[in-house]
Amino acid sequence: MLELAAIFKILGIGVVSHFSTNVLENMGHGSKVIFVKIAGYVACAYVSFEVWWDCLRQVAHTFGVHV
């Protein structure tokens, strides 16, 4: 279930980022869209890194190594 939680987090960040950029463009704030997109990419990268690190810890733990 941990894997699904990360996927849903990334999906939620992507959906919110997409809708907020559409709203900003339609309201005439197109210059601020890039900041929303960058924040969305950084948030997705953070979630992906955390999941990767947790998987690495689980694999290391199966071999008796503590990371």
Side-chain angles (χ1 to χ4, degrees), residues 7-62:
I7 290 172
F8 284 125
K9 284 180 188 177
I10 292 173
L11 182 64
I13 292 168
V15 168
V16 169
S17 174
H18 176 72
F19 284 131
S20 61
T21 55
N22 283 343
V23 168
L24 284 173
E25 285 178 355
N26 290 337
M27 294 182 71
H29 300 291
S31 62
K32 296 176 182 157
V33 169
I34 191 70
F35 299 114
V36 173
K37 289 188 180 231
I38 290 172
Y41 292 144
V42 168
C44 287
Y46 176 76
V47 170
S48 299
F49 178 75
E50 287 295 317
V51 170
W52 177 81
W53 191 249
D54 287 340
C55 290
L56 180 68
R57 285 182 181 158
Q58 287 178 359
V59 169
H61 184 67
T62 56

